[in-house]
Amino acid sequence: MILIRYLMVGVANTLVGLGTIYFAMYFLHFNVVQSNAIGYSIGILLSFSLNKTWTFSSQDHITSSFIRYLLVLGIGYAANLATVLYIYSHFYLSPYVAQAIGILPYTAIGFLGSRYFAFRTQGRSSAAENKLSNKAVFDKKSVTPCMVDVSIVVPCYNEEAVLAETTKRLADLLQQLIIEGRITPSSRVYYVDDGSRDKTWELIECLAETHEFVHGIQLSRNRGQQNALLAGLLSVEGEVIISVDVDLQDDLSAIKEMIEYYTAGYDIVYGVRDSRETDTFFKSFTAKAYYRLLGMMGVEIIYNHAEYRLMSRQTIEVLKEFSEVNLFLRGIIPQLGFSSAIVYYNRAERYAGESKYPLIKLISLAWQGITSFSSMPLHFITALGLLVSLISFLITAWAIWIRLFTDDAVPGWASTVLPIYFLGGIQLLCLGVIGEYLAKIYSETKRRPRYTIKKII
Ligand code: UDP
Ligand code: MG
Protein backbone atom coordinates (compact mmCIF):
# COMPACT_ATOMS: atom_id res chain seq x y z
CA MET A 1 0.00 0.00 0.00
CA ILE A 2 2.80 2.40 0.94
CA LEU A 3 4.67 1.46 -2.25
CA ILE A 4 1.55 2.17 -4.33
CA ARG A 5 1.21 5.56 -2.65
CA TYR A 6 4.88 6.25 -3.30
CA LEU A 7 4.50 5.36 -6.98
CA MET A 8 1.38 7.51 -7.28
CA VAL A 9 3.31 10.43 -5.81
CA GLY A 10 6.06 9.70 -8.34
CA VAL A 11 3.58 9.89 -11.21
CA ALA A 12 2.06 13.11 -9.84
CA ASN A 13 5.54 14.54 -9.42
CA THR A 14 6.44 13.71 -13.03
CA LEU A 15 3.21 15.17 -14.40
CA VAL A 16 3.47 18.39 -12.40
CA GLY A 17 7.20 18.71 -13.13
CA LEU A 18 6.74 18.23 -16.86
CA GLY A 19 3.69 20.53 -16.86
CA THR A 20 5.69 23.25 -15.13
CA ILE A 21 8.61 22.89 -17.53
CA TYR A 22 6.26 23.10 -20.50
CA PHE A 23 4.45 26.11 -19.03
CA ALA A 24 7.70 27.91 -18.23
CA MET A 25 9.10 27.30 -21.71
CA TYR A 26 6.09 28.10 -23.84
CA PHE A 27 4.19 30.67 -21.82
CA LEU A 28 6.86 32.41 -19.79
CA HIS A 29 9.50 32.03 -22.52
CA PHE A 30 12.18 30.73 -20.14
CA ASN A 31 15.06 28.81 -21.62
CA VAL A 32 15.50 25.04 -21.18
CA VAL A 33 17.80 25.27 -18.15
CA GLN A 34 15.59 27.74 -16.29
CA SER A 35 12.43 25.80 -17.08
CA ASN A 36 13.97 22.54 -15.94
CA ALA A 37 15.21 24.13 -12.71
CA ILE A 38 11.72 25.45 -11.92
CA GLY A 39 10.02 22.20 -12.94
CA TYR A 40 12.36 20.03 -10.84
CA SER A 41 12.13 22.32 -7.81
CA ILE A 42 8.34 22.31 -7.84
CA GLY A 43 8.27 18.55 -8.48
CA ILE A 44 10.62 17.85 -5.57
CA LEU A 45 8.72 20.13 -3.19
CA LEU A 46 5.44 18.50 -4.18
CA SER A 47 6.72 14.95 -3.87
CA PHE A 48 8.37 15.75 -0.55
CA SER A 49 5.24 17.18 1.00
CA LEU A 50 3.00 14.42 -0.38
CA ASN A 51 5.38 11.66 0.70
CA LYS A 52 5.85 13.17 4.14
CA THR A 53 2.18 13.71 4.94
CA TRP A 54 0.38 11.14 2.83
CA THR A 55 2.65 8.24 1.87
CA PHE A 56 4.61 7.85 5.08
CA SER A 57 2.70 10.28 7.36
CA SER A 58 5.98 11.10 9.01
CA GLN A 59 6.36 13.18 12.16
CA ASP A 60 9.99 14.03 11.46
CA HIS A 61 11.13 17.63 11.53
CA ILE A 62 10.40 19.22 8.16
CA THR A 63 13.89 20.64 7.49
CA SER A 64 15.93 17.62 8.51
CA SER A 65 13.67 15.19 6.65
CA PHE A 66 13.82 17.45 3.57
CA ILE A 67 17.61 17.40 3.60
CA ARG A 68 17.59 13.61 4.00
CA TYR A 69 15.03 13.36 1.20
CA LEU A 70 17.23 15.45 -1.12
CA LEU A 71 20.15 13.17 -0.30
CA VAL A 72 18.09 10.10 -1.17
CA LEU A 73 16.97 11.69 -4.45
CA GLY A 74 20.57 12.65 -5.24
CA ILE A 75 21.79 9.08 -4.73
CA GLY A 76 18.77 7.83 -6.72
CA TYR A 77 19.60 10.14 -9.65
CA ALA A 78 23.26 9.09 -9.57
CA ALA A 79 22.25 5.42 -9.66
CA ASN A 80 19.82 6.17 -12.47
CA LEU A 81 22.47 7.91 -14.52
CA ALA A 82 25.08 5.22 -13.89
CA THR A 83 22.63 2.47 -14.91
CA VAL A 84 21.54 4.29 -18.06
CA LEU A 85 25.12 4.99 -19.17
CA TYR A 86 26.24 1.46 -18.39
CA ILE A 87 23.37 -0.20 -20.26
CA TYR A 88 23.62 2.19 -23.17
CA SER A 89 27.35 1.69 -23.67
CA HIS A 90 27.53 -2.06 -22.99
CA PHE A 91 24.35 -3.48 -24.49
CA TYR A 92 23.72 -1.08 -27.38
CA LEU A 93 20.04 -0.76 -26.51
CA SER A 94 18.00 2.23 -27.55
CA PRO A 95 18.30 5.22 -25.18
CA TYR A 96 14.58 4.93 -24.35
CA VAL A 97 14.95 1.34 -23.12
CA ALA A 98 18.08 2.31 -21.16
CA GLN A 99 16.13 5.16 -19.55
CA ALA A 100 13.24 2.86 -18.70
CA ILE A 101 15.58 0.38 -16.99
CA GLY A 102 17.36 3.24 -15.21
CA ILE A 103 14.10 4.17 -13.50
CA LEU A 104 14.12 0.87 -11.58
CA PRO A 105 17.14 1.50 -9.31
CA TYR A 106 16.02 5.11 -8.97
CA THR A 107 12.59 4.07 -7.71
CA ALA A 108 13.99 1.36 -5.44
CA ILE A 109 16.53 3.71 -3.83
CA GLY A 110 13.93 6.49 -3.60
CA PHE A 111 11.39 4.25 -1.89
CA LEU A 112 13.72 2.46 0.53
CA GLY A 113 15.63 5.65 1.27
CA SER A 114 12.43 7.57 1.95
CA ARG A 115 10.99 4.84 4.07
CA TYR A 116 13.97 4.02 6.25
CA PHE A 117 16.07 7.16 6.08
CA ALA A 118 14.23 10.34 5.08
CA PHE A 119 10.98 9.73 6.97
CA ARG A 120 12.01 7.67 9.94
CA THR A 121 9.15 8.28 12.33
CA GLN A 122 6.05 7.11 10.59
CA GLY A 123 2.68 7.12 12.22
CA ARG A 124 0.13 5.89 9.72
CA SER A 125 -0.93 2.73 11.50
CA SER A 126 -0.77 4.33 14.93
CA ALA A 127 -4.27 3.12 15.73
CA ALA A 128 -3.36 -0.45 14.89
CA GLU A 129 -0.05 -0.18 16.73
CA ASN A 130 -1.84 1.25 19.72
CA LYS A 131 -4.08 -1.75 19.66
CA LEU A 132 -1.07 -4.03 19.74
CA SER A 133 0.95 -2.12 22.28
CA ASN A 134 -2.05 -1.82 24.57
CA LYS A 135 -2.53 -5.53 24.38
CA ALA A 136 1.09 -6.28 25.08
CA VAL A 137 1.26 -4.08 28.16
CA PHE A 138 -2.13 -5.18 29.27
CA ASP A 139 -1.22 -8.86 29.11
CA LYS A 140 2.05 -8.30 30.89
CA LYS A 141 0.62 -6.49 33.85
CA SER A 142 -1.07 -8.71 36.34
CA VAL A 143 -4.59 -7.43 36.70
CA THR A 144 -5.47 -7.44 40.34
CA PRO A 145 -9.23 -7.35 40.56
CA CYS A 146 -10.14 -4.52 42.87
CA MET A 147 -13.43 -2.67 43.05
CA VAL A 148 -13.52 0.65 41.28
CA ASP A 149 -15.93 3.43 42.25
CA VAL A 150 -17.43 4.48 38.91
CA SER A 151 -19.54 7.47 37.86
CA ILE A 152 -21.03 7.46 34.38
CA VAL A 153 -21.80 10.89 32.95
CA VAL A 154 -24.43 11.10 30.23
CA PRO A 155 -25.34 14.42 28.56
CA CYS A 156 -28.96 14.60 27.41
CA TYR A 157 -30.70 17.12 25.22
CA ASN A 158 -34.34 16.41 24.37
CA GLU A 159 -33.80 12.70 24.89
CA GLU A 160 -37.08 11.54 26.46
CA ALA A 161 -37.41 8.83 23.83
CA VAL A 162 -34.27 6.96 24.84
CA LEU A 163 -33.80 7.65 28.55
CA ALA A 164 -35.83 4.71 29.84
CA GLU A 165 -34.08 2.17 27.62
CA THR A 166 -30.64 3.61 28.40
CA THR A 167 -31.35 3.42 32.12
CA LYS A 168 -32.44 -0.20 31.77
CA ARG A 169 -29.27 -1.16 29.90
CA LEU A 170 -27.03 0.78 32.28
CA ALA A 171 -28.75 -0.90 35.24
CA ASP A 172 -28.05 -4.34 33.74
CA LEU A 173 -24.44 -3.43 33.06
CA LEU A 174 -23.79 -1.97 36.50
CA GLN A 175 -25.43 -4.93 38.18
CA GLN A 176 -23.30 -7.36 36.22
CA LEU A 177 -20.09 -5.45 37.00
CA ILE A 178 -21.01 -5.28 40.70
CA ILE A 179 -21.67 -9.02 40.80
CA GLU A 180 -18.31 -9.65 39.13
CA GLY A 181 -16.69 -7.53 41.83
CA ARG A 182 -15.27 -5.01 39.36
CA ILE A 183 -17.09 -1.89 40.59
CA THR A 184 -18.42 -0.76 43.95
CA PRO A 185 -22.14 -1.14 44.67
CA SER A 186 -22.32 2.64 45.10
CA SER A 187 -21.31 3.27 41.45
CA ARG A 188 -23.72 5.63 39.79
CA VAL A 189 -25.00 7.33 36.64
CA TYR A 190 -25.36 11.09 36.25
CA TYR A 191 -27.67 12.35 33.55
CA VAL A 192 -26.83 15.96 32.68
CA ASP A 193 -29.90 17.69 31.29
CA ASP A 194 -28.60 20.27 28.85
CA GLY A 195 -31.62 22.61 29.05
CA SER A 196 -33.98 20.22 27.27
CA ARG A 197 -37.31 21.57 26.06
CA ASP A 198 -39.17 18.27 26.32
CA LYS A 199 -39.85 16.10 29.37
CA THR A 200 -36.24 14.91 29.75
CA TRP A 201 -35.68 16.48 33.18
CA GLU A 202 -39.00 15.23 34.58
CA LEU A 203 -38.07 11.78 33.36
CA ILE A 204 -34.65 12.00 35.01
CA GLU A 205 -36.28 13.03 38.30
CA CYS A 206 -38.65 10.13 38.02
CA LEU A 207 -35.85 7.67 37.22
CA ALA A 208 -33.78 9.03 40.13
CA GLU A 209 -36.66 8.22 42.48
CA THR A 210 -37.13 4.69 41.24
CA HIS A 211 -33.47 3.78 40.72
CA GLU A 212 -30.94 4.34 43.44
CA PHE A 213 -27.98 4.62 41.07
CA VAL A 214 -29.56 7.36 38.91
CA HIS A 215 -28.70 10.99 39.63
CA GLY A 216 -29.35 14.14 37.62
CA ILE A 217 -27.74 17.51 36.98
CA GLN A 218 -29.84 20.17 35.34
CA LEU A 219 -28.28 23.05 33.41
CA SER A 220 -30.17 26.33 33.40
CA ARG A 221 -30.23 26.40 29.59
CA ASN A 222 -28.90 24.62 26.56
CA ARG A 223 -25.12 25.06 26.40
CA GLY A 224 -24.22 22.29 23.96
CA GLN A 225 -22.89 18.79 24.51
CA GLN A 226 -19.31 19.85 25.29
CA ASN A 227 -20.34 22.15 28.13
CA ALA A 228 -22.93 19.73 29.45
CA LEU A 229 -20.31 17.00 29.52
CA LEU A 230 -17.80 19.24 31.27
CA ALA A 231 -20.39 20.22 33.87
CA GLY A 232 -20.90 16.52 34.58
CA LEU A 233 -17.22 15.60 34.60
CA LEU A 234 -16.30 18.38 37.00
CA SER A 235 -19.24 18.00 39.37
CA VAL A 236 -19.53 14.30 40.08
CA GLU A 237 -17.65 12.22 42.61
CA GLY A 238 -16.10 8.81 41.91
CA GLU A 239 -12.66 7.35 41.40
CA VAL A 240 -13.29 6.87 37.72
CA ILE A 241 -15.57 8.84 35.41
CA ILE A 242 -16.90 7.47 32.16
CA SER A 243 -18.65 9.71 29.63
CA VAL A 244 -21.05 8.25 27.11
CA ASP A 245 -23.85 9.48 24.84
CA VAL A 246 -27.38 8.71 25.89
CA ASP A 247 -28.58 7.42 22.51
CA LEU A 248 -26.94 3.95 22.85
CA GLN A 249 -24.83 4.45 19.75
CA ASP A 250 -21.76 3.71 21.85
CA ASP A 251 -21.58 0.04 22.76
CA LEU A 252 -21.98 -0.02 26.56
CA SER A 253 -20.25 -3.37 26.90
CA ALA A 254 -16.94 -1.60 26.13
CA ILE A 255 -17.16 -0.09 29.63
CA LYS A 256 -16.09 -3.42 31.09
CA GLU A 257 -12.91 -3.41 29.01
CA MET A 258 -12.28 0.24 29.90
CA ILE A 259 -12.38 -0.60 33.59
CA GLU A 260 -10.01 -3.52 32.99
CA TYR A 261 -7.53 -1.11 31.44
CA TYR A 262 -7.97 1.27 34.35
CA THR A 263 -7.20 -1.46 36.86
CA ALA A 264 -4.18 -2.35 34.73
CA GLY A 265 -2.84 1.14 35.36
CA TYR A 266 -4.15 3.39 32.58
CA ASP A 267 -5.51 6.81 33.49
CA ILE A 268 -7.44 7.55 30.30
CA VAL A 269 -9.15 4.96 28.11
CA TYR A 270 -10.49 6.16 24.77
CA GLY A 271 -13.44 4.47 23.11
CA VAL A 272 -12.67 4.35 19.38
CA ARG A 273 -15.13 3.33 16.68
CA ASP A 274 -14.00 0.28 14.84
CA SER A 275 -16.30 0.78 11.88
CA ARG A 276 -18.44 3.55 10.53
CA GLU A 277 -20.94 1.31 8.80
CA THR A 278 -23.92 2.95 10.45
CA ASP A 279 -22.85 6.42 9.31
CA THR A 280 -23.83 7.82 5.94
CA PHE A 281 -21.08 8.03 3.32
CA PHE A 282 -21.07 11.81 3.68
CA LYS A 283 -20.64 11.70 7.45
CA SER A 284 -17.94 9.05 7.50
CA PHE A 285 -16.01 10.70 4.64
CA THR A 286 -16.11 14.17 6.17
CA ALA A 287 -15.27 12.82 9.62
CA LYS A 288 -12.21 10.93 8.35
CA ALA A 289 -11.05 13.92 6.31
CA TYR A 290 -11.53 16.13 9.36
CA TYR A 291 -9.45 13.91 11.66
CA ARG A 292 -6.67 13.88 9.08
CA LEU A 293 -6.87 17.66 8.64
CA LEU A 294 -6.56 18.16 12.39
CA GLY A 295 -3.59 15.80 12.43
CA MET A 296 -1.91 17.78 9.65
CA MET A 297 -2.46 21.00 11.58
CA GLY A 298 -0.64 19.54 14.52
CA VAL A 299 -3.70 19.02 16.73
CA GLU A 300 -3.24 15.95 18.88
CA ILE A 301 -6.38 13.94 18.51
CA ILE A 302 -7.38 10.29 18.75
CA TYR A 303 -8.57 9.10 15.38
CA ASN A 304 -12.26 8.13 15.35
CA HIS A 305 -12.74 8.87 19.02
CA ALA A 306 -15.66 11.04 20.12
CA GLU A 307 -16.76 11.52 23.72
CA TYR A 308 -16.86 7.91 24.90
CA ARG A 309 -14.00 7.62 27.37
CA LEU A 310 -12.89 6.74 30.84
CA MET A 311 -10.94 9.20 32.96
CA SER A 312 -9.32 8.70 36.34
CA ARG A 313 -9.91 11.11 39.21
CA GLN A 314 -6.40 12.51 38.81
CA THR A 315 -6.95 13.45 35.16
CA ILE A 316 -10.28 15.09 36.03
CA GLU A 317 -8.52 17.25 38.61
CA VAL A 318 -6.07 18.36 35.91
CA LEU A 319 -8.92 19.04 33.51
CA LYS A 320 -10.29 21.53 36.05
CA GLU A 321 -7.27 23.73 35.39
CA PHE A 322 -8.22 24.24 31.75
CA SER A 323 -10.32 27.33 31.99
CA GLU A 324 -11.04 27.92 28.32
CA VAL A 325 -14.52 28.86 27.23
CA ASN A 326 -14.35 27.47 23.70
CA LEU A 327 -14.45 23.83 24.59
CA PHE A 328 -13.29 20.98 22.38
CA LEU A 329 -12.79 18.16 24.85
CA ARG A 330 -11.38 15.65 22.41
CA GLY A 331 -8.52 18.02 21.77
CA ILE A 332 -7.89 18.84 25.43
CA ILE A 333 -7.86 15.32 26.87
CA PRO A 334 -4.83 14.05 24.89
CA GLN A 335 -3.01 17.22 26.04
CA LEU A 336 -3.37 16.17 29.65
CA GLY A 337 -0.77 13.48 29.15
CA PHE A 338 -0.96 10.43 31.45
CA SER A 339 -0.99 6.85 30.28
CA SER A 340 -3.79 6.03 27.92
CA ALA A 341 -5.26 3.03 26.17
CA ILE A 342 -7.79 2.44 23.43
CA VAL A 343 -10.85 0.24 23.40
CA TYR A 344 -12.46 -0.48 20.04
CA TYR A 345 -16.22 -0.84 19.64
CA ASN A 346 -18.81 -0.92 16.90
CA ARG A 347 -20.98 2.13 16.62
CA ALA A 348 -24.67 1.31 16.42
CA GLU A 349 -27.64 3.25 15.08
CA ARG A 350 -29.29 5.80 17.35
CA TYR A 351 -31.78 3.89 19.52
CA ALA A 352 -34.58 6.46 19.17
CA GLY A 353 -35.13 10.14 18.51
CA GLU A 354 -33.13 12.32 16.15
CA SER A 355 -29.52 13.40 16.11
CA LYS A 356 -29.03 16.56 18.16
CA TYR A 357 -26.16 17.49 15.91
CA PRO A 358 -27.53 19.08 12.76
CA LEU A 359 -24.95 19.89 10.11
CA ILE A 360 -24.53 23.49 11.23
CA LYS A 361 -23.75 22.46 14.84
CA LEU A 362 -21.32 19.83 13.56
CA ILE A 363 -19.51 22.38 11.40
CA SER A 364 -19.33 24.75 14.35
CA LEU A 365 -17.79 22.00 16.53
CA ALA A 366 -15.33 21.14 13.77
CA TRP A 367 -14.32 24.79 13.43
CA GLN A 368 -13.97 24.98 17.22
CA GLY A 369 -11.53 22.08 17.05
CA ILE A 370 -9.35 23.84 14.53
CA THR A 371 -9.39 27.32 16.00
CA SER A 372 -8.96 26.21 19.62
CA PHE A 373 -5.92 24.07 18.97
CA SER A 374 -4.16 25.36 15.93
CA SER A 375 -2.90 28.74 14.79
CA MET A 376 -2.14 27.14 11.45
CA PRO A 377 -4.72 29.24 9.53
CA LEU A 378 -2.94 32.39 10.74
CA HIS A 379 0.50 31.02 9.86
CA PHE A 380 -0.96 30.08 6.50
CA ILE A 381 -1.72 33.77 5.79
CA THR A 382 1.90 34.67 6.54
CA ALA A 383 3.15 31.93 4.23
CA LEU A 384 0.72 33.00 1.51
CA GLY A 385 1.82 36.63 1.87
CA LEU A 386 5.45 35.58 1.55
CA LEU A 387 4.67 33.50 -1.51
CA VAL A 388 2.74 36.26 -3.27
CA SER A 389 5.52 38.76 -2.48
CA LEU A 390 8.08 36.34 -3.87
CA ILE A 391 6.04 35.79 -7.02
CA SER A 392 5.67 39.55 -7.44
CA PHE A 393 9.47 39.92 -7.30
CA LEU A 394 9.91 37.15 -9.84
CA ILE A 395 7.38 38.76 -12.18
CA THR A 396 9.11 42.12 -11.75
CA ALA A 397 12.44 40.57 -12.69
CA TRP A 398 10.80 38.90 -15.66
CA ALA A 399 9.18 42.19 -16.78
CA ILE A 400 12.54 43.98 -16.58
CA TRP A 401 14.15 41.19 -18.56
CA ILE A 402 11.47 41.40 -21.27
CA ARG A 403 11.87 45.19 -21.39
CA LEU A 404 15.66 45.10 -21.64
CA PHE A 405 16.39 42.08 -23.79
CA THR A 406 13.36 41.55 -26.05
CA ASP A 407 11.02 43.60 -28.17
CA ASP A 408 7.89 42.04 -26.63
CA ALA A 409 7.39 44.67 -23.89
CA VAL A 410 3.84 46.03 -23.77
CA PRO A 411 3.80 49.69 -22.67
CA GLY A 412 1.88 50.22 -19.43
CA TRP A 413 1.63 46.52 -18.55
CA ALA A 414 4.28 46.50 -15.84
CA SER A 415 3.13 49.71 -14.18
CA THR A 416 -0.46 48.41 -14.03
CA VAL A 417 -0.03 44.75 -13.15
CA LEU A 418 3.04 44.72 -10.91
CA PRO A 419 1.68 47.01 -8.17
CA ILE A 420 -1.37 44.74 -7.89
CA TYR A 421 0.79 41.70 -7.11
CA PHE A 422 3.21 43.68 -5.02
CA LEU A 423 0.62 45.43 -2.84
CA GLY A 424 -1.45 42.24 -2.55
CA GLY A 425 1.60 40.38 -1.29
CA ILE A 426 2.58 43.10 1.16
CA GLN A 427 -0.94 43.36 2.52
CA LEU A 428 -1.22 39.62 3.03
CA LEU A 429 2.17 39.55 4.68
CA CYS A 430 1.19 42.34 7.08
CA LEU A 431 -2.05 40.57 7.89
CA GLY A 432 -0.06 37.43 8.53
CA VAL A 433 2.29 39.23 10.91
CA ILE A 434 -0.68 40.65 12.81
CA GLY A 435 -2.10 37.13 12.83
CA GLU A 436 1.11 35.75 14.36
CA TYR A 437 0.78 38.13 17.28
CA LEU A 438 -2.92 37.39 17.55
CA ALA A 439 -2.08 33.71 17.80
CA LYS A 440 0.23 34.43 20.72
CA ILE A 441 -2.36 36.59 22.47
CA TYR A 442 -4.95 33.90 21.88
CA SER A 443 -2.89 31.19 23.47
CA GLU A 444 -2.05 33.50 26.38
CA THR A 445 -5.68 34.33 27.08
CA LYS A 446 -6.59 30.67 27.32
CA ARG A 447 -4.51 30.38 30.45
CA ARG A 448 -3.92 26.71 29.97
CA PRO A 449 -1.75 25.07 32.60
CA ARG A 450 1.86 25.07 31.49
CA TYR A 451 2.68 21.70 32.96
CA THR A 452 1.07 18.92 34.90
CA ILE A 453 2.86 16.99 37.60
CA LYS A 454 1.90 13.34 37.63
CA LYS A 455 3.76 12.19 40.71
CA ILE A 456 6.21 13.50 43.33
CA ILE A 457 7.98 10.94 45.45
N1 UDP B 1 -26.33 16.69 23.42
C1 UDP B 1 -26.34 17.64 24.41
N2 UDP B 1 -26.53 18.95 24.08
C2 UDP B 1 -26.69 19.36 22.79
C3 UDP B 1 -26.64 18.39 21.75
C4 UDP B 1 -26.44 17.06 22.11
O1 UDP B 1 -26.19 17.31 25.59
O2 UDP B 1 -26.89 20.57 22.56
C5 UDP B 1 -26.09 15.26 23.77
C6 UDP B 1 -27.13 14.30 23.22
O3 UDP B 1 -28.23 14.20 24.08
C7 UDP B 1 -26.35 13.00 23.14
C8 UDP B 1 -24.95 13.47 22.81
O4 UDP B 1 -24.89 14.85 23.16
O5 UDP B 1 -26.29 12.32 24.38
C9 UDP B 1 -24.59 13.28 21.36
O6 UDP B 1 -25.61 13.82 20.52
P1 UDP B 1 -26.17 13.06 19.25
O7 UDP B 1 -26.29 11.59 19.56
O8 UDP B 1 -27.42 13.70 18.84
O9 UDP B 1 -25.03 13.31 18.19
P2 UDP B 1 -24.58 12.34 16.98
O10 UDP B 1 -24.36 11.00 17.58
O11 UDP B 1 -25.70 12.36 16.03
O12 UDP B 1 -23.33 12.96 16.48
MG1 MG C 1 -25.51 9.97 18.74
Side-chain angles (χ1 to χ4, degrees), residues 21-32:
I21 293 172
Y22 181 80
F23 184 79
M25 273 173 71
Y26 292 98
F27 291 97
L28 302 178
H29 306 297
F30 285 168
N31 65 31
V32 181

Side-chain angles (χ1 to χ4, degrees), residues 195-207:
S196 299
R197 289 160 214 266
D198 63 359
K199 295 257 179 293
T200 299
W201 178 246
E202 285 79 353
L203 205 57
I204 293 174
E205 281 181 325
C206 185
L207 288 166

Side-chain angles (χ1 to χ4, degrees), residues 33 163 172 225 295 310 411:
V33 178
L163 262 172
D172 291 346
Q225 182 205 16
L310 173 148

Side-chain angles (χ1 to χ4, degrees), residues 159 245-250 283 347 350 355-357:
E159 299 284 10
D245 287 352
V246 72
D247 56 3
L248 297 172
Q249 281 194 285
D250 303 330
K283 189 156 183 180
R347 187 138 160 111
R350 194 172 229 286
S355 170
K356 306 300 176 301
Y357 265 99

Side-chain angles (χ1 to χ4, degrees), residues 283-339:
K283 189 156 183 180
S284 86
F285 177 77
T286 46
K288 279 182 194 160
Y290 178 64
Y291 279 110
R292 291 220 188 290
L293 180 72
L294 279 184
M296 272 160 61
M297 291 193 156
V299 184
E300 235 181 290
I301 194 150
I302 307 292
Y303 187 65
N304 263 345
H305 159 71
E307 305 299 347
Y308 190 19
R309 75 178 82 82
L310 173 148
M311 295 176 75
S312 68
R313 170 56 49 195
Q314 196 183 4
T315 56
I316 294 284
E317 291 304 319
V318 177
L319 183 65
K320 284 184 183 162
E321 292 179 31
F322 283 71
S323 46
E324 56 207 78
V325 177
N326 296 298
L327 257 195
F328 186 67
L329 282 169
R330 308 160 219 186
I332 297 178
I333 310 291
Q335 292 213 340
L336 302 181
F338 295 95
S339 52

Side-chain angles (χ1 to χ4, degrees), residues 158-171:
N158 296 344
E159 299 284 10
E160 57 183 13
V162 291
L163 262 172
E165 179 64 22
T166 309
T167 310
K168 202 170 121 233
R169 299 220 195 153
L170 281 171

Side-chain angles (χ1 to χ4, degrees), residues 24 36 70 80 174 224 230 233 303 367 430 447 450 454:
N36 265 291
L70 284 184
N80 180 343
L174 290 182
L230 189 75
L233 293 178
Y303 187 65
W367 185 238
C430 294
R447 299 239 154 266
R450 278 166 295 181
K454 190 173 173 187

